[in-house]
Amino acid sequence: MKDFTTKSKEKSRGKFFWISLFLFFMIWSILSRWIAYRYHPMILPSPFEVLQVMFTFLSQKIFWQSIGITLYRGFIGLVLAVVLGILLGFFMGELSEVENFFRPLMITLQTTPTVSWLALALIWFRLPSNMTIFITFIAIFPLMTINVYQGMGELDPSLQEMATLFQVSKKKQLFSLYLPQLFPFIWAGGKAGIGMTWKAVAMAELLSGRDGVGGRMALARVNLSTAEVFAWTGVLMILGYVGEQMMQYIGKKTIRYWGDEL
Amino acid sequence: MIELCQVSKSFDQLKVLDHLSFKIPKGKILCILGPSGCGKTTILQIVAGLLPIDEGQILKKESIQSSYIFQEPRLLPWKTVRENIDFVLPASTHYLEEKISFYLQKTGLQGYEHYYPYQLSGGMKQRVALVRAFVYEHQLLLMDEPFQALDIKTRNILFNQTHLLWEETKNTIVFVTHQIEEALLLGDEILVLSEKPTKVKEKLEIHIPRLQRKIDAPILQDIYKKVMYSF
Ligand SMILES: Nc1ncnc2c1ncn2[C@@H]1O[C@H](COP(=O)(O)OP(=O)(O)OP(=O)(O)O)[C@@H](O)[C@H]1O
Ligand SMILES: [Mg+2]
């Protein structure tokens, strides 16, 4: 019964999804025709042009190279931010000295606009790779840290008491007590982080260099190739979507592994 | 084994324990009876060293390893029955296998080893907590109303198991309950506590061997009346 209702709900949701997508492309192509007629064809390419460019991309070596570079940078930045964020968040929750030391710093970091980091990073780093990784890291790290720190505040004290009484080793507590309780917070941070990664990476690349997806976008802009800018945007959106789906999958698997109560 | 001397404990403005003194005799079963909210759980937590006291002293001779059946099951929701038991045990549990399966069987939990807590009933969760506490190596066993969620049959089985565990190990047990019958059948000593701020209202000793106790025996009936009266 329950299955049936969720399924039929999903079906109707699917229908509206396709209708909305269709309308979106319709309006887009009408708009692009009208703008091309009225002003200039370069301003808004039609969806077919964009799709065409995307298809020609597929056979180009430089396309795959750019994606590879961007993925690599995003991945390194993300992993660094996640790992260090978990560690710092954990110790902020565990030791009040660490908490008092880092709290103001984390609040400052979180409120600093990314543009400021971009401007600074352009001065600080010579290599576009380093700068991009730095920007990705700095965009995600405070978020991750604060998430885990919050999770530390919501640990169940009665379970902690139980573990203390039975003299369970710290190592065992870390993996069997802390991690499962922190997982939803880490996961939420990671999910938001992955969404931010591609935006941050592309932005940094756009400003810093010629390679990577952002670099190619900068080049397309210089060449006034609007269709290519759109095509790269589509690529970034696909990356974002795949990332989110991956996190969703990991979340589901882990929640099943740890039972249902998360 | 442990002696509480003039122990006081308050939570904010609420004075729960007021210069409370009593001894936990080694190798005996001490039952604590008292009205709800009088501080029985608080006392157990203090004895276990989980809660600091405001005033007074706690005298212990050796370092005592205690096991605890909390008033709630306190199982890890992301671990199965068996994993929950293993959580409190040393890494290698070879030598404990027999003991674990013995208690799982006695508590009617065999076949449920791979269930998660959310798949168990309230009483079953409490039984898992019971097995966990029994299997854990200890000199002092603290039991906080351990049988309250169980039906009479399971209750009797586990009651007898507690008894047998004691016969086997002669460990010290502190047993909190508000069932007078349970205290009469199990306790070597019974402490009856007053309302807050809590003091020892009555201390009774029962010298009849546990196996020969019948709840309708005249002597126990006398004690029963005494306890009822002081409640
Ligand atoms: N952490 C706490 N913070 C504030 N007050 C508390 C805390 N723990 C217990 N109390 C208070 O102390 C008193 C005694 O609580 P306790 O849990 O020891 O009672 P109890 O005798 O075990 O009751 P029951 O038989 O219902 O389990 C209660 O009035 C309770 O409100
Ligand atoms: Mg209680």
Side-chain angles (χ1 to χ4, degrees), chain B residues 9-12 14-17 32-45 51 71-72 144-145 148 176-178 193-194 196 198:
Chain B
K9 174 79 193 171
S10 303
F11 293 106
D12 300 318
L14 184 72
K15 186 142 197 160
V16 179
L17 306 182
I32 299 180
L33 271 169
S36 178
C38 77
K40 302 183 294 295
T41 301
T42 308
I43 292 171
L44 283 193
Q45 280 177 316
L51 203 63
Q71 199 163 1
E72 332 80 51
D144 198 348
E145 299 185 35
Q148 60 176 347
V176 165
T177 179
H178 48 227
L193 302 179
S194 66
K196 278 178 303 237
T198 304

Side-chain angles (χ1 to χ4, degrees), chain A residues 32 34-45:
Chain A
S32 99
W34 182 72
I35 289 175
Y37 166 75
R38 192 70 213 275
Y39 303 98
H40 195 283
M42 204 183 285
I43 295 173
L44 185 65

Side-chain angles (χ1 to χ4, degrees), chain B residues 8-213:
Chain B
S8 296
K9 174 79 193 171
S10 303
F11 293 106
D12 300 318
Q13 305 305 321
L14 184 72
K15 186 142 197 160
V16 179
L17 306 182
D18 183 25
H19 297 282
L20 181 79
S21 302
F22 69 90
K23 269 188 203 160
I24 298 174
K26 193 178 164 110
K28 300 233 165 105
I29 300 181
L30 173 70
C31 287
I32 299 180
L33 271 169
S36 178
C38 77
K40 302 183 294 295
T41 301
T42 308
I43 292 171
L44 283 193
Q45 280 177 316
I46 287 172
V47 170
L50 294 170
L51 203 63
I53 54 173
D54 301 339
E55 270 179 75
Q57 263 188 313
I58 299 167
L59 304 175
K60 283 190 204 187
K61 281 224 175 76
E62 335 89 287
S63 73
I64 297 160
Q65 185 147 316
S66 27
S67 192
Y68 199 143
I69 298 162
F70 297 93
Q71 199 163 1
E72 332 80 51
R74 300 204 188 179
L75 304 177
L76 306 177
W78 46 87
K79 290 204 174 280
T80 63
V81 169
R82 181 55 206 255
E83 288 167 346
N84 260 291
I85 295 167
D86 286 343
F87 179 68
V88 305
L89 300 177
S92 150
T93 52
H94 271 328
Y95 64 105
L96 287 170
E97 279 314 319
E98 216 171 302
K99 209 169 163 187
I100 295 171
S101 55
F102 174 79
Y103 283 118
L104 281 174
Q105 199 225 324
K106 282 292 173 199
T107 50
L109 285 169
Q110 80 274 51
Y112 292 98
E113 289 90 342
H114 302 298
Y115 278 53
Y116 285 95
Y118 74 93
Q119 297 169 312
L120 303 175
S121 73
M124 286 166 94
K125 281 185 235 184
Q126 195 59 24
R127 283 182 264 158
V128 178
L130 220 86
V131 176
R132 178 178 67 189
F134 278 177
V135 174
Y136 182 73
E137 170 83 37
H138 62 269
Q139 291 98 49
L140 173 64
L141 177 60
L142 305 167
M143 304 173 81
D144 198 348
E145 299 185 35
F147 307 140
Q148 60 176 347
L150 305 175
D151 61 286
I152 293 181
K153 195 175 154 222
T154 323
R155 198 185 189 103
N156 282 339
I157 295 175
L158 295 179
F159 197 78
N160 290 333
Q161 280 315 311
T162 309
H163 180 180
L164 287 178
L165 178 82
W166 182 85
E167 287 293 337
E168 198 184 302
T169 58
K170 296 277 196 281
N171 280 333
T172 312
I173 297 179
V174 180
F175 188 95
V176 165
T177 179
H178 48 227
Q179 297 260 322
I180 302 175
E181 292 89 343
E182 266 181 12
L184 292 179
L185 289 175
L186 200 63
D188 291 303
E189 287 186 17
I190 300 174
L191 287 185
V192 184
L193 302 179
S194 66
E195 290 275 358
K196 278 178 303 237
T198 304
K199 293 192 160 162
V200 177
K201 217 172 188 183
E202 186 95 46
K203 191 183 143 212
L204 302 158
E205 290 183 26
I206 304 178
H207 298 289
I208 313 162
R210 251 180 288 280
L211 281 173
Q212 294 164 23
R213 292 186 197 177

